Amino acid sequence: MATYAIGDVQGCYTAFRKLLDVVHFDLKHDKLWLVGDIVNRGPESLEMLRFVMQSDDAITMVLGNHDLHLLMVGAGITPHHKDDTIQSILNAPDREELLFWLRHQRLFYFKEKYALVHAGLLPAWSVTKAARLAQEVESALRRDDYQKIFTQLYGNEPTYWLDNWTGAERLRVIINAMTRMRICSPDGHMNFSYKGSLQTVPAGYMPWFDVPQRASLDSIIICGHWSALGLYITDKLVALDSGCIWNGQLSAIRLEDRKVFQIHCDKSIMTGC
């Protein structure tokens, strides 16, 4: 049995299945961790979502910002973006089953020395604390009145964490850190506008994972979200968004020996990505 982690698929199901073939993934014996953003931008979001939903316990995923966007659009809270490719899900006969299942997925997951999150963790959050905070959001998303909660979750403020935040502000900071953050100040103020490379990070900010003595350093964080960063692996970080949707690569890592597998996401294996 092996455990693989794969970066942002974003609806590129054909490329995803090609990568599973490359690693000889066996649904009955292996495990797969997905860093989120399994849908949107690529042409096969419906196929991707159905595959993950039907894979029982073989696949563990965390929610990314595009997955949450699908839920918001499906709930009628926010309109489509011009480059969305989620209409096939919204038109599907099993739409409600798919959205219900997605709404019940994790925001954060950890096992032994590894932690899985879409974007990142604020400097003050240990992995144990992050797990507790994620459960607050997960519980809110699963409530019967989730549509009311959705109306309060979008926005960039607050940009920092306080333990005494309550209500929508508290949930919004947790979601934004775990699904949108790339950089922050040393004291944990997030910047959501920057999407560039490591070399051009604005003054006063740094990659969230480079903040000195961040509380999550006792674990290896597996994440995605930052395509301009590309595949980026250190002792304490495995960043897997290598820009498949932008004709880059789709990347996987086998956790047992940290062997990396990649495929090029060109038109020969992707129908429109």
Side-chain angles (χ1 to χ4, degrees):
M1 186 188 86
T3 301
Y4 299 91
I6 293 182
D8 304 42
V9 177
Q10 294 197 239
C12 295
Y13 178 67
T14 300
F16 171 74
R17 291 303 303 264
K18 176 71 173 180
L19 185 55
L20 292 189
D21 289 343
V22 168
V23 304
H24 304 293
F25 182 74
D26 185 337
L27 268 173
K28 294 182 179 179
H29 299 102
D30 297 329
K31 298 295 184 182
L32 180 63
W33 293 8
L34 299 177
V35 302
D37 278 5
I38 67 169
V39 300
N40 210 12
R41 300 286 178 85
E44 302 162 304
S45 291
L46 176 59
E47 292 85 353
M48 184 65 195
L49 183 54
R50 280 178 174 161
F51 178 84
V52 178
M53 186 182 76
Q54 294 166 4
S55 297
D56 297 322
D57 296 331
I59 299 180
T60 296
M61 68 164 284
V62 292
L63 293 166
N65 54 301
H66 282 280
D67 309 313
L68 289 170
H69 176 65
L70 167 61
L71 291 172
M72 295 287 191
V73 174
I77 304 303
T78 191
H80 281 276
H81 296 157
K82 63 180 181 180
D83 50 3
D84 283 346
T85 60
I86 54 176
Q87 194 60 46
S88 60
I89 297 172
L90 301 175
N91 292 342
D94 53 345
R95 160 198 167 126
E96 294 308 319
E97 180 184 1
L98 291 164
L99 296 180
F100 180 89
W101 178 87
L102 189 63
R103 187 163 54 84
H104 285 71
Q105 297 312 296
R106 298 178 174 93
L107 189 66
F108 178 80
Y109 176 72
F110 77 100
K111 183 177 181 181
E112 298 173 352
K113 63 181 179 180
Y114 288 104
L116 184 68
V117 68
H118 180 62
L121 300 180
L122 282 168
W125 295 350
S126 66
V127 166
T128 302
K129 182 171 185 174
R132 291 198 303 269
L133 296 177
Q135 286 174 356
E136 295 181 29
V137 174
E138 292 161 5
S139 295
L141 294 179
R142 296 167 187 175
R143 284 169 49 177
D144 290 341
D145 63 346
Y146 70 92
Q147 290 177 314
K148 178 180 178 181
I149 295 165
F150 277 0
T151 64
Q152 305 172 40
L153 295 185
Y154 263 7
N156 291 338
E157 299 290 339
T159 62
Y160 58 94
W161 175 253
L162 291 177
D163 283 332
N164 60 0
W165 286 129
T166 60
E169 288 180 322
R170 182 178 180 90
L171 298 181
R172 199 180 304 126
V173 176
I174 299 168
I175 288 173
N176 283 342
M178 293 190 183
T179 70
R180 297 179 60 204
M181 178 176 62
R182 297 179 181 90
I183 61 174
C184 64
S185 65
D187 60 353
H189 283 69
M190 295 177 280
N191 176 327
F192 300 117
S193 62
Y194 184 73
K195 299 181 181 180
S197 68
L198 286 179
Q199 291 71 35
T200 55
V201 172
Y205 294 94
M206 61 182 62
W208 67 267
F209 48 79
D210 280 344
V211 174
Q213 299 178 332
R214 60 179 169 87
S216 55
L217 274 172
D218 57 345
S219 297
I220 300 168
I221 310 297
I222 302 172
C223 63
H225 184 59
W226 193 350
S227 60
L229 178 67
L231 180 67
Y232 189 81
I233 299 175
T234 68
D235 287 346
K236 295 295 183 178
L237 181 78
V238 178
L240 291 171
D241 185 359
S242 45
C244 179
I245 192 62
W246 310 115
N247 297 317
Q249 294 81 36
L250 187 60
S251 298
I253 187 169
R254 187 166 57 208
L255 300 187
E256 287 76 12
D257 59 3
R258 284 196 155 201
K259 182 175 180 179
V260 171
F261 305 84
Q262 289 185 297
I263 59 166
H264 290 282
C265 296
D266 57 33
K267 292 182 180 180
S268 67
I269 60 169
M270 300 164 69
T271 56
C273 289

